[in-house]
Amino acid sequence: MKHLLCFTLLMLSGLFFIGCGDDESDPGSAEVGVAGEGEGVAGEGVAGEGIAEKKPVGDPEVSNFAVSLDGVDFESYVSAKDHKVFNEALGSTYTVECWYKPFKTDGELMVVNKEDEWEFANKGGLFQSAVAVNGEPWAWKDSELSNNKDKWNHAAIVWDGKNLHHFINGKKGKSHEMPGKSVIPKGSTFKIGRRERGGATHSIFDGLVDEVRISDIARYDADYDVPKTAFVPDDNTLYLLHLDEDDLDGDNIKNFGKMGPDAVLEGAVELVDAELPNTERRALAVEPASKLGTVWGRLKGNRL
């Protein structure tokens, strides 16, 4: 009986140790599982969340912004001081282009303007421009192409030293004979969203404007494929405003062209998160928290 009792105790002890061994193997398995889950958290959760926290608005992966103009506030627009990039540096051939989305079409709604040098606008529902050649007086020239209200439009004017050409949404409009040699500087500031003439401010744009580029070549000469990406600077890109939140430094917004000043957000003009259906969105750079603090007040949610 005594031997049987000892044998029973030994058997029970063995089972206990076997059970303990099984318990010790579970954390090992759990560690493999946790490690796998931990890698997923580090790769997707922690790192992703860390970047997303630095993006104030917009898609968590990529975002695009545009200047929002309300058509009412005369003191809110985008400007840049006079510089040869807007006239002398252009020579006898240039292209001015951008994306814009008008929320109304009646009246004269200025998109981009360099008074007494060149400009284009949504005028009575049509895309029109005015160009001063050799410093001579200018007048509105009709493209005979309509703007799309409440939709994005890609528009461009091209002056090739002989003719002024109009392009909108991949289509070439009416051209006008305008021979000349250059744009004569008039000392006006560059503006997005309004114009000043005769001591008065008028033609306030109502809508969104984005991706403004000025080049010293003719970018288009016939019907074309609408750009699918944000403009990439090249040797002929003299002035380029992406108008995105990561281009801001206080009220200044970076010029990515070869020369010329940064632009300035005047008054209460805002950058808003905007979806351009025909343009791939730019990836947001991760900005230092200190910089985000300076630009936060300029950023708003989608206006639409």
Side-chain angles (χ1 to χ4, degrees):
M1 179 65 72
K2 182 177 180 180
H3 292 296
L4 180 59
L5 179 60
C6 290
F7 178 78
T8 303
L9 290 173
L10 286 171
M11 291 294 291
L12 291 173
S13 299
L15 290 172
F16 173 77
F17 284 113
I18 291 171
C20 289
D22 290 342
D23 287 343
E24 288 177 352
S25 69
D26 286 341
S29 300
E31 284 177 0
V32 173
V34 170
E37 292 174 5
E39 289 173 359
V41 171
E44 298 176 5
V46 175
E49 289 175 6
I51 293 173
E53 288 174 356
K54 297 181 183 299
K55 300 175 182 180
V57 293
D59 187 277
E61 297 299 330
V62 289
S63 192
N64 181 73
F65 289 77
V67 169
S68 177
L69 302 135
D70 63 11
V72 177
D73 186 352
F74 281 66
E75 302 304 320
S76 297
Y77 60 105
V78 177
S79 74
K81 63 183 180 181
D82 186 33
H83 188 277
K84 67 179 181 180
V85 69
F86 300 116
N87 37 63
E88 294 172 297
L90 298 178
S92 60
T93 303
Y94 65 83
T95 301
V96 181
E97 62 187 311
C98 73
W99 286 88
Y100 66 92
K101 183 177 185 178
F103 294 147
K104 65 179 183 180
T105 55
D106 55 309
E108 180 181 300
L109 308 175
M110 188 60 59
V111 182
V112 291
N113 164 267
K114 190 71 170 62
E115 196 67 23
D116 290 315
E117 297 177 20
W118 48 261
E119 64 184 3
F120 64 73
N122 173 348
K123 198 168 186 293
L126 297 174
F127 174 50
Q128 298 193 27
S129 71
V131 171
V133 176
N134 298 338
E136 298 176 1
W138 63 353
W140 284 110
K141 302 296 183 181
D142 186 9
S143 71
E144 297 185 350
L145 296 172
S146 298
N147 299 277
N148 291 323
K149 180 185 176 184
D150 297 322
K151 295 181 180 179
W152 282 102
N153 301 268
H154 173 260
I157 57 171
V158 173
W159 182 60
D160 61 12
K162 297 179 180 179
N163 298 279
L164 172 65
H165 307 283
H166 296 87
F167 302 86
I168 189 166
N169 298 323
K171 300 296 182 182
K172 184 177 181 179
K174 185 176 182 180
S175 297
H176 301 265
E177 186 175 352
M178 295 185 69
K181 294 182 178 180
S182 63
V183 179
I184 305 299
K186 294 295 183 178
S188 58
T189 59
F190 168 69
K191 301 177 185 67
I192 299 175
R194 78 171 196 176
R195 67 183 299 200
E196 296 175 7
R197 190 166 188 83
T201 298
H202 57 93
S203 307
I204 307 300
F205 188 77
D206 185 4
L208 306 176
V209 179
D210 199 13
E211 289 292 311
V212 178
R213 180 171 68 174
I214 302 172
S215 310
D216 61 357
I217 59 170
R219 296 278 183 187
Y220 314 100
D221 59 7
D223 288 0
Y224 63 100
D225 292 330
V226 174
K228 296 295 191 298
T229 64
F231 296 134
V232 177
D234 57 23
D235 288 342
N236 299 107
T237 302
L238 299 190
Y239 200 74
L240 174 59
L241 300 176
H242 289 304
L243 299 170
D244 281 335
E245 64 88 19
D246 48 343
D247 306 336
L248 272 173
D249 184 4
D251 289 337
N252 295 328
I253 192 157
K254 185 176 178 61
N255 162 32
F256 289 87
K258 292 174 64 175
M259 65 178 74
D262 290 341
V264 179
L265 302 184
E266 304 281 3
V269 70
E270 299 170 345
L271 298 183
V272 298
D273 188 24
E275 180 75 39
L276 274 72
N278 295 325
T279 301
E280 295 177 5
R281 309 179 103 200
R282 294 175 68 211
L284 278 175
V286 177
E287 297 294 336
S290 58
K291 182 175 180 182
L292 285 177
T294 66
V295 305
W296 187 270
R298 286 294 193 182
L299 305 177
K300 299 293 181 183
N302 198 313
R303 179 176 169 184
L304 301 182

